[in-house]
Amino acid sequence: MNDDTTPSSPTTDVVSTHSVCGAPCWVSLTSRDLEATEDFYQAVLGWQWRSAKLGDRFRIALADGAPVAGIAAVASMWQTAVAWTPYFAVPSADDAVSRVQERGGTTAVGPISFPPGRAALLADRDGATFGIWEGDLFTDWETWRKAAPTFFRLHTRDAFDAAIFYGEVLDWASERPGCCEVRYEGNEVVLRSHGEVVARIESGALEAAPDPTIRPHWQIHFRVADVVAGARAAEAYGGSVLREGTDEAVLRDPDGAQFTVTSRRVA
């Protein structure tokens, strides 16, 4: 979701969702306690914060001065799960929501207006949550695209079936200008936007699994300089470590949102 849009300048053009159709365009966290969330992610990921134009419940996370994510303390108000959610660019939020519903997915919120655009929070037919955004992206979006969340990965029941669902909803592999390319490589579905890998889809998730790391979900990967230090900071600030390796760890923040820290650039 575009939590904060800066007006264009003579040297920076605003990017529209029409030109990056179907690509990941933002990542947002729904939380309950804004102050605790800020403290936690500042300790684990080194983020700084600025206010957002949407109001006191919203913040923009900055890494080296560049916007990388949005925080929305609306989980209780909207009665939604605390979670990290990828947002995908669409030319029409209404059309995308209709396609989701027609294909067995569900709508949690929206479409609702967040000037200069519209957003909706959805779930695919296996229950993995994702968002859509129609409208302008912030002027520094190309910086985010290259450096912000390291990666998006969908853990799902059947990668082929999921690729069909998202392809039909988001116009992947269509004739629409700027649409994403889809390739089947090994046991994964690989999504590319303008030639760059932006997401992967893998099979093997279990819909009724008690472990949230096994249920269908979109996992957001953030790159850090020191995975072990990030894991220890998560524990120190009220979070937990679900799985830890030398170059990657799956963490949970104090509200329960799950994410991954990694020392690698996934390609």
Side-chain angles (χ1 to χ4, degrees):
M1 185 197 305
N2 185 350
D3 292 305
D4 187 34
T5 300
T6 304
S8 60
S9 68
T11 58
T12 309
D13 294 328
V14 174
V15 178
S16 166
T17 55
H18 289 270
S19 63
V20 290
C21 181
C25 64
W26 190 235
V27 60
S28 185
L29 172 66
T30 50
S31 73
R32 297 187 184 93
D33 187 327
L34 191 59
E35 185 176 349
T37 299
E38 289 179 336
D39 291 344
F40 176 85
Y41 285 98
Q42 183 171 350
V44 176
L45 300 177
W47 287 349
Q48 301 299 314
W49 304 93
R50 76 174 186 216
S51 59
K53 296 177 181 178
L54 294 177
D56 293 340
R57 293 178 179 269
F58 298 84
R59 294 289 188 275
I60 303 297
L62 305 174
D64 298 324
V68 293
I71 307 296
V74 296
S76 299
M77 181 175 64
W78 286 357
Q79 296 185 334
T80 57
V82 172
W84 278 104
T85 303
Y87 280 76
F88 295 86
V90 296
S92 169
D94 290 324
D95 288 350
V97 168
S98 294
R99 292 176 184 179
V100 166
Q101 294 171 339
E102 289 167 359
R103 289 159 180 79
T106 57
T107 303
V109 178
I112 54 179
S113 177
F114 287 104
R118 300 174 73 226
L121 186 62
L122 310 164
D124 66 25
R125 50 191 169 216
D126 287 320
T129 301
F130 68 102
I132 54 166
W133 172 257
E134 170 200 350
D136 291 341
L137 304 171
F138 56 87
T139 53
D140 208 14
W141 182 77
E142 286 293 346
T143 300
W144 175 88
R145 174 189 178 91
K146 295 180 183 300
T150 302
F151 206 64
F152 299 91
R153 185 182 293 274
L154 175 62
H155 301 268
T156 190
R157 175 184 52 81
D158 184 309
F160 183 81
D161 182 69
I164 292 174
F165 173 87
Y166 285 96
E168 292 176 343
V169 170
L170 301 173
D171 282 321
W172 291 351
S174 70
E175 295 181 357
R176 182 183 291 276
C179 75
C180 292
E181 303 170 359
V182 177
R183 295 286 185 273
Y184 298 93
E185 300 178 5
N187 296 322
E188 293 185 323
V189 174
V190 181
L191 183 71
R192 287 181 171 85
S193 176
H194 298 286
E196 294 185 9
V197 176
V198 292
R200 292 180 184 268
I201 302 175
E202 65 178 18
S203 301
L206 300 176
E207 202 166 344
D211 184 348
T213 66
I214 298 175
R215 291 196 296 267
H217 68 282
W218 281 96
Q219 186 78 357
I220 313 300
H221 295 240
F222 295 103
R223 190 164 37 169
V224 295
D226 189 329
V227 169
V228 174
R232 300 293 79 76
E235 293 174 324
Y237 279 79
S240 57
V241 178
L242 303 182
R243 188 169 62 248
E244 184 176 352
T246 56
D247 56 5
E248 188 171 284
V250 180
L251 309 178
R252 182 181 288 149
D253 72 17
D255 270 343
Q258 177 183 310
F259 64 103
T260 296
V261 293
T262 177
S263 61
R264 300 171 297 176
R265 176 73 181 183
V266 184

